[in-house]
């Protein structure tokens, strides 16, 4: 693909990430399906008073989010855009660091494969959860 | 009125020039050497270097020619910033120790002399000439002053190469076309006489073309002629991005009034 | 080791003349010729880049300009020493070249309706200096360099220092050069050559020339027995910036700037009542020096007394638009913004009217060797060049020489071969300078030469000064044969180059002074206080200098007059 | 013969001698890399939810108290800062690099000031700074206290 098209996608994915990422952050804060907005009250000692049931990052809360189609699709979209944006970004940085036809080809392929792995792995989580996984 | 040139022609103070030396024949790594130079008002760093060459250490090598900031020979890194040596007043630097390095991002030939092959090659590769069907010269192409303004700032590039030395992308990517060549391609594309956008497109849009600029702005910041290569590159990117959707059209300038009477007498 | 490179045509020098010749040769040769262009600095950095003001050409006949007028101005400016047939050819070619440059992308300044704009220049009776800001030469060099890149069959060699031409039996065979970057000796073997190495400005210390203009091409030609024409005519530009000598273009006065002495008086009104500040350069220079010698100048550093160039009639907006470089120069080099206050100026060595004697087609008389540009003397400028005529001359005659050489090559394709001794000869030429075991410092000799020339061969000359000068220069010439080169490396050995350059300027200085001594009259830029009048009876002729052994032989050549008879020269 | 004299990536961090845009260039890269690495970790981390509450909770505990130190909120704040910067600067770059809000080529005048680095670009840079401050205050307060201001 022509570099100009790649970069256009880079910019567009960037903007989408901005929107979706903001939503993502909202999902665990203002819009969280729980009245307890405490993010981090996990404790590694027994003196903790928390029940592990009410906070935004608690298992039940997170699974609830994952189970809604709306949030599930948002995460999947975000993941898609991020993977492209990031691995293309890495490709740019690396090919500027190691310029040359052969090295760049290698970098492009490595980035493609790595991107695919992350994408499949992340999608697996999202899709399984959407299909009612977890619990 | 007589005070106008006060301090010219008399030694005001002595400064130390700390120059990075490298001699490929000596099999040593580059090292710094210090030279004490008496300074008069009006003395430039280039004058300082010439003083060293003539009076202290003749083996110091540097490029220079016009000594008026137009030939572009003498760009070097003075106090950590790319400048033209012949245009930098020693006293204006306001320091008693002046560090002089050769430009980076080029191979180093000797001392302050970089190998600018890369710069010239990149410049040549973007086809820096008017591209259009050869026509018989019967008069000038008409170009309004406003049209001229659209590219004329980039014609002032003296090919000193300072921008390539300052560009952080160039610092790692030696295949990058570099701000100088990209600004020149914009200069020709924006010239109303040229219709070569499509001929240059492939190179500009290649893996080491315009998109390797991430707008660090260092090129525009150091350019000793005040050219704004960063601007040219961003405008180019805009053109290329639009070109993905709507093909970019260049309308060639028209030929002006026929000047046969003066042009044809010449042929005889 | 000596490397030999084989070409059809080698062009020495990449100024306006060299570049234009290369383009023309590449075009005429239609890809059939192998062409090399070499220069001692990087190709696009030739000294022509410093030219500021403009290039003369008749463009607007309908507005009152004409070829005859341009020719007449030039001839009158030359003090009738120029060859008039050459000038008639020259003025007709100028517009063609201006237009060609326009087609090649040169950003000429424009009128409101999109046509090319022109400005006033000294000695011209019509505003015919075509300009682009105040960097005309710069834009011309870059337009030509860029256009040259279009032609694939021209090999470009940066930083090759020519030290000798191979000429035997009046046949050119090639150039010996040092590749500065490696110190290697190279022979550019070629069937034809074009000398475009520029003038001899660095004979003087206070000069508008770049550091690298040391007349190498002229000196080599002189050593090889070529004839030098009119070398004693050195132009002094009225407005060199004190103390560096950097040029402040005549365009300043063309656009309205005026000269003032220490009393604030516009003194040019007295010397040239009609043209005032826009009189030809020799007259303005002499006027300035007269003011200074009469104590009406300012005391300057290192004895460089000066007068002022006042920009205020031009207006800030126009200065910033049309004279931006000059403004920058003022700020950078003397800390004065000309928008606010005047600049200190004084006449500085600026142009070499003379050069290698060539005919109107640029041929030097040696088979296969042409010369063009400032290095050559076709004699368009006679005893004094008009501003803006030189860049035009360089392109016009560069083109002629390039075309002629290519045509000649296409016709005469019998090759040249290296002779047995050539490699040895090349090595010995370099060794001759490199292996001297004297103790004279080349830089010291150069500085002493500058002092002599700035004093004795400046605007005003006289018998006593010139005789003294000649003696001193001969002394230096002797010294230049036993020098010490302190740096012994090969890579970028500028010391060795400086020694060659020093030898060249010293040898040329002798010719300049000898010619000046022999010309017992005042004409154009050559002014003898002991013979203050022009003498058309005895000296309406070109000086031809030739070297035989160690002697300079002077002879004379008649001037070609066509329509214009010598008249008194008043402005 | 001639030696290589590349400045290398370390030159991204030449202090104070060039315009602010060069700093933003370096920061954009660094935050891009950091965020990229974070995403990989994040994908791994979230995948633990498939393994049930025990694994999830112990992962969360580890992330909140890595090696027994309560460092989690700091890491998360760092990510937030990086993301805000990268996102906002990314927006600025998207605009400027598309030639939008860039000045037309202009006549150069001494003393030189590159207009591409000033004008609207400067406005965007200042806005970037302001938004950075606001967003990070809100975010960090939330991360540490759970309070949404
Ligand atoms: C400051 C200044 C301003 C001027 N302004 C104007 C103006 O406004 N209008 C106008 O008409 N004229 C002007 N002139 C005059 C005009 O610029 C010159 O006469 C003209 O440019 C000379 O061009 P050239 O091609 O003959 O030589 P140059 O441009 O001098 O080129 C000489 C070339 O020869 C090469 N060379 C020299 N020696 C060697 C060697 N030993 N080996 C290899 N290469 C060598 C050099 O590298 C260079 O490339 C000005 C001159 C000066 C000094
Ligand atoms: C939130 C909105 C985002 C926007 C608007 C955005 C925008 C951009 C833009 C415009 C670029 C190209 C820079 C250039 O080439 O000049 C870029 C590069 C990059 N981005 Fe983003 N981005 C965003 C989020 C992210 C995130 C969340 C990550 C990582 C998790 C990321 C990782 C990268 C990387 C690695 C690069 C390459 C850096 C470089 O080329 O210098 N981006 N981003
Ligand atoms: S753009 Fe400026 S810095 Fe770059 S080569 Fe041209 S004049 Fe030099
Ligand atoms: S410094 Fe380099 S990254 Fe772009 S804006 Fe200039 S070319
Ligand atoms: S010597 Fe020509 S630009 Fe400095």
């Amino acid at each position: 693909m022509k570099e100009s098209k790649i970069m256009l996608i880079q910019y567009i994915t960037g903007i989408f990430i901005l929107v979706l990422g903001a939503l993502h952050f909202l999902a665990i804060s203002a819009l969280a399906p729980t009245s307890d907005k405490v993010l981090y009250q996990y404790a590694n000692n027994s003196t903790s008073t928390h029940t592990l049931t009410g906070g935004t990052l608690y298992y039940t809360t997170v699974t609830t989010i994952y189970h809604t189609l709306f949030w599930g699709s948002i995460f999947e979209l975000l993941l898609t855009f991020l993977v492209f944006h990031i691995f293309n970004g890495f490709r740019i940085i690396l090919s500027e660091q190691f310029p040359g036809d052969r090295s760049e080809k290698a970098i492009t392929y490595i980035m493609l494969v790595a991107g695919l792995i992350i994408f499949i792995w992340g999608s697996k989580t999202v899709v399984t959860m959407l299909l009612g996984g977890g619990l | 009125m007589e005070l106008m040139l006060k301090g010219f022609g008399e030694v005001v103070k002595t400064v130390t020039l700390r120059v990075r030396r490298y001699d490929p024949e000596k099999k040593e790594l580059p090292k710094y050497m210090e030279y004490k130079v008496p300074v008069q008002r009006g003395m430039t760093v280039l004058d300082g270097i010439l003083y060293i060459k003539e009076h202290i250490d003749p083996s110091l090598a540097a490029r220079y020619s016009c000594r008026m900031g137009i030939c572009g020979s003498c760009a070097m890194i003075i106090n950590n910033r790319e400048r033209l040596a012949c245009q930098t007043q020693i006293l204006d630097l306001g320091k008693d120790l002046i560090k002089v390095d050769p430009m980076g991002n080029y191979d180093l030939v000797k001392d302050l002399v970089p190998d600018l092959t890369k710069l010239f090659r990149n410049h040549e590769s973007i086809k820096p000439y008017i591209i259009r069907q050869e026509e018989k010269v019967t008069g000038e192409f008409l170009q309004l002053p406003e049209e001229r303004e659209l590219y004329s700032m980039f014609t002032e590039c003296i090919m000193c190469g300072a921008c390539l030395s300052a560009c952080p992308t160039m610092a790692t990517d030696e295949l990058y076309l570099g701000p100088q060549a990209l600004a020149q391609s914009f200069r020709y594309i924006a010239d109303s006489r040229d219709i070569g956008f499509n001929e240059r497109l492939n190179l500009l849009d290649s893996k080491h073309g315009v998109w390797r600029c991430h707008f660090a702005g260092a090129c525009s910041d150091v350019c000793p002629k005040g050219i704004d290569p960063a601007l040219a590159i961003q405008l180019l990117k805009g053109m290329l991005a639009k070109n993905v959707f709507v093909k970019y059209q260049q309308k060639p300038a028209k030929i002006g009034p026929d000047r046969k009477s003066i042009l044809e007498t010449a042929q005889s | 080791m000596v490397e030999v490179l084989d070409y059809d045509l080698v062009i020495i020098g990449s100024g306006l003349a060299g570049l234009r010749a290369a383009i023309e040769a590449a075009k005429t040769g239609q890809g059939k010729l192998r062409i090399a262009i070499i220069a001692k600095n990087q190709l696009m950095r030739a000294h022509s880049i410093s030219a500021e003001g403009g290039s003369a050409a008749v463009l607007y006949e309908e507005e009152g300009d004409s070829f005859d007028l341009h020719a007449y101005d030039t001839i009158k400016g030359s003090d009738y020493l120029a060859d008039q047939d050459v000038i008639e050819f020259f003025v007709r070619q100028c517009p063609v070249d201006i237009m060609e440059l326009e087609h090649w992308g040169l950003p000429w300044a424009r009128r409101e309706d999109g046509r090319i704009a022109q400005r006033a220049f000294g000695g011209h009776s019509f505003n015919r200096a075509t300009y682009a800001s105040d960097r005309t030469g710069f834009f011309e060099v870059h337009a030509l360099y860029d256009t040259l890149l279009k032609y694939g069959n021209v090999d470009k060699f940066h930083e090759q220092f020519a030290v000798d031409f191979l000429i035997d039996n009046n046949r050119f065979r090639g150039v010996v050069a040092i590749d500065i970057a490696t110190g290697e000796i190279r022979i550019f073997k070629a069937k034809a050559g074009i000398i475009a190495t520029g003038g001899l400005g660095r004979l003087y210390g206070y000069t508008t020339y770049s550091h690298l203009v040391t007349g190498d091409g002229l000196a080599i030609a002189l050593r090889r027995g070529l004839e030098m024409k009119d070398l004693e005519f050195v132009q002094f530009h009225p407005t060199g910036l004190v103390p560096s000598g950097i040029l402040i273009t005549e365009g300043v006065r063309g656009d309205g700037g005026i000269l003032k002495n220490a009393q604030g008086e516009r003194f040019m009104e007295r010397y040239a009542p009609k043209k005032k500040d826009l009189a030809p350069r020799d007259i303005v220079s002499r006027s300035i020096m007269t003011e200074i010698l009469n104590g009406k100048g300012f005391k300057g550093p290192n004895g460089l007394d000066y007068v002022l160039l006042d920009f205020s009639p031009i207006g800030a907006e126009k200065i910033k638009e049309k004279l931006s470089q000059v403004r920058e120069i003022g700020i950078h080099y003397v800390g004065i913004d000309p928008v606010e206050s005047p600049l200190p100026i004084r006449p500085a060595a600026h142009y070499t009217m003379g050069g290698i004697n060539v005919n109107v087609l640029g041929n030097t008389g040696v088979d296969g060797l042409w010369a063009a540009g400032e290095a050559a003397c076709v004699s368009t400028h006679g005893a004094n060049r008009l501003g803006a005529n030189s860049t035009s001359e360089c392109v016009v005659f560069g083109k002629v020489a390039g075309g002629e050489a290519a045509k000649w090559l296409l016709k005469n394709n019998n090759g040249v071969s290296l002779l047995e001794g050539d490699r040895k000869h090349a090595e010995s030429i370099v060794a001759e300078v490199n292996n001297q075991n004297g103790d004279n410092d080349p830089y010291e000799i150069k500085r002493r030469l500058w002092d002599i020339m700035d004093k004795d061969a400046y605007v005003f000359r006289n018998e006593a000064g010139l005789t003294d000068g000649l003696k001193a220069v001969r002394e230096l010439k002797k010294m230049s044969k036993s020098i010490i080169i302190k740096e012994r490396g090969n890579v970028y050995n500028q010391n060795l180059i400086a020694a060659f350059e020093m030898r060249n300027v010293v040898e040329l200085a002798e010719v300049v002074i000898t010619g000046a001594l022999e010309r017992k009259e005042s004409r154009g830029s050559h002014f003898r206080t002991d013979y203050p009048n022009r003498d058309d009876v005895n000296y309406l002729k070109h000086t031809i200098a030739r070297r035989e052994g160690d002697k300079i032989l002077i002879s004379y050549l008649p001037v070609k007059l066509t329509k214009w008879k010598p008249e008194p020269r008043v402005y | 013969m001639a030696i290589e004299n590349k400045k290398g990536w370390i030159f991204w961090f030449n202090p104070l001698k060039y315009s602010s845009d060069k700093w933003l260039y370096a920061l954009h890269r660094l935050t891009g890399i950091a965020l990229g690495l974070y995403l990989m970790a994040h994908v791994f981390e979230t995948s633990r939810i498939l393994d049930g509450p025990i694994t999830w909770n112990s992962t969360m505990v580890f992330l909140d108290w890595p090696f027994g130190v309560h460092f989690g909120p700091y890491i998360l704040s760092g990510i937030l800062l990086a993301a805000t910067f990268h996102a906002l600067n990314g927006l600025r770059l998207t605009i400027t690099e598309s030639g939008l809000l860039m000045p037309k080529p202009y006549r150069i005048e001494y003393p030189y000031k590159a207009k591409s680095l000033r004008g609207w670009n400067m406005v965007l840079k200042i806005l970037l700074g302001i938004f950075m401050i606001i967003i990070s205050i809100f975010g960090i307060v939330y991360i540490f206290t759970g309070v949404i201001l």
Side-chain angles (χ1 to χ4, degrees), chain C residues 317 320 327-328 331-332 491, chain D residues 1 107-112:
Chain C
E317 192 45 37
K320 286 177 189 169
R327 172 163 176 255
E328 213 189 306
I331 296 172
H332 279 309
V491 175
Chain D
M1 281 297 292
R107 204 177 81 212
I108 314 175
E109 203 168 280
Y110 191 83
Y112 303 134

Side-chain angles (χ1 to χ4, degrees), chain A residues 7 10-11 14 18 85-86 89, chain B residues 214, chain D residues 28-29 32 35 86-87 90 97:
Chain A
M7 287 309 282
Q10 179 81 355
Y11 295 141
L18 177 63
H85 189 92
I86 290 171
Chain B
H214 309 284
Chain D
H28 194 81
R29 275 222 152 155
L35 290 171
H86 187 95
E97 294 195 352

